[in-house]
Amino acid sequence: MDKAKTYKVIMAILLVVLFLIIVAYIHGRINHLVTVISGLIMIGAFALVSHYNSAIKANEERESEKVERAFKKIKVQRTREGTTFEVATALILAISLIIGVTTHRFELDDSFLRYYVCCFIGAIAFLILAYHPFLGFGPDRSSVRVTNAEMFKLMIRSSRVYAVLSALMALIFSINTFENHLVMAILICLLIAMFATDFLFRFLYKKNK
């Protein structure tokens, strides 16, 4: 049992004991003096356990900060996986650009052009963030520190997956024919995939922390 679970168990036991004291007092099993003394002891026990737990959390936080600082110094190297994602993203963006230009889908006042540009820039930004993962805002980065190699890999991989999804969104906006039921279905599937991907990486972060 880890320290967090131990703390919860101890607090639960203290609450049960406090409840039994109150019940015993109500039924006249113990007098006022015993109740007051018992209550003071319980309050002291609550304070002591809480203080001990806070000290443990502060120590763990310092250790996790130290580990995360070490990961921040690591330079992300190009790998076969990274190259695969980068080539896939580049191909999708190139196809989307060709479609948009050759079919004259984009007009200067067309809202689809704005959406396309956002997705295009987003895809490139995610590829860059894969090499600078701590500059990004991946799933649960606000509440979970990177304390092991698996979490570090997840940060990098999540950026690359989001890059491909953003490129696919750009491709859909370059087609710009939402009257087509197939295109709409693909767009909906992409949106669902984005939410599912976000949920998956949040789960994996917590699982590997």
Side-chain angles (χ1 to χ4, degrees):
M1 185 181 296
D2 59 24
K3 295 177 180 179
K5 290 182 178 179
T6 302
Y7 168 74
K8 291 179 181 179
V9 170
I10 293 174
M11 292 300 288
I13 292 173
L14 292 175
L15 286 173
V16 171
V17 173
L18 181 61
F19 174 76
L20 292 176
I21 291 172
I22 294 173
V23 171
Y25 174 73
I26 292 174
H27 288 277
R29 301 290 183 179
I30 54 178
N31 57 36
H32 296 288
L33 180 61
V34 174
T35 302
V36 171
I37 294 174
S38 300
L40 292 174
I41 292 174
M42 294 304 299
I43 292 173
F46 274 115
L48 183 63
V49 173
S50 296
H51 175 73
Y52 178 71
N53 184 62
S54 297
I56 292 175
K57 285 185 175 180
N59 185 60
E60 290 177 346
E61 184 68 16
R62 286 193 295 270
E63 290 298 321
S64 64
E65 285 180 359
K66 187 185 300 182
V67 174
E68 187 168 82
R69 283 197 298 270
F71 275 109
K72 286 181 178 179
K73 296 178 181 178
I74 297 176
K75 184 178 179 180
V76 179
Q77 302 294 328
R78 183 182 296 276
T79 61
R80 182 178 299 176
E81 177 188 288
T83 302
T84 301
F85 276 102
E86 288 164 10
V87 171
T89 302
L91 285 175
I92 296 170
L93 291 177
I95 293 171
S96 70
L97 192 59
I98 292 171
I99 292 174
V101 172
T102 57
T103 59
H104 303 286
R105 296 290 188 187
F106 297 141
E107 301 292 342
L108 291 179
D109 59 345
D110 190 354
S111 60
F112 284 100
L113 177 58
R114 292 194 293 270
Y115 299 148
Y116 173 80
V117 171
C118 288
C119 292
F120 191 98
I121 294 174
I124 296 175
F126 278 122
L127 289 180
I128 295 173
L129 287 174
Y131 291 95
H132 306 279
F134 288 95
L135 296 179
F137 299 92
D140 244 14
R141 287 291 297 115
S142 59
S143 59
V144 179
R145 287 189 179 280
V146 176
T147 56
N148 56 64
E150 190 61 33
M151 293 179 70
F152 188 65
K153 292 177 183 177
L154 284 172
M155 287 178 64
I156 299 170
R157 188 169 296 137
S158 65
S159 292
R160 288 169 175 161
V161 171
Y162 290 137
V164 173
L165 290 174
S166 296
L168 289 172
M169 288 293 290
L171 178 61
I172 292 297
F173 286 123
S174 71
I175 297 173
N176 190 2
T177 55
F178 283 1
E179 294 81 7
N180 188 307
H181 294 300
L182 178 60
V183 175
M184 281 299 298
I186 295 174
L187 177 61
I188 293 172
C189 288
L190 276 176
L191 291 173
I192 293 173
M194 285 185 170
F195 284 111
T197 301
D198 183 73
F199 175 81
L200 175 62
F201 278 107
R202 287 178 185 274
F203 171 77
L204 292 175
Y205 265 112
K206 291 181 179 180
K207 181 181 178 182
N208 291 282
K209 69 177 180 179

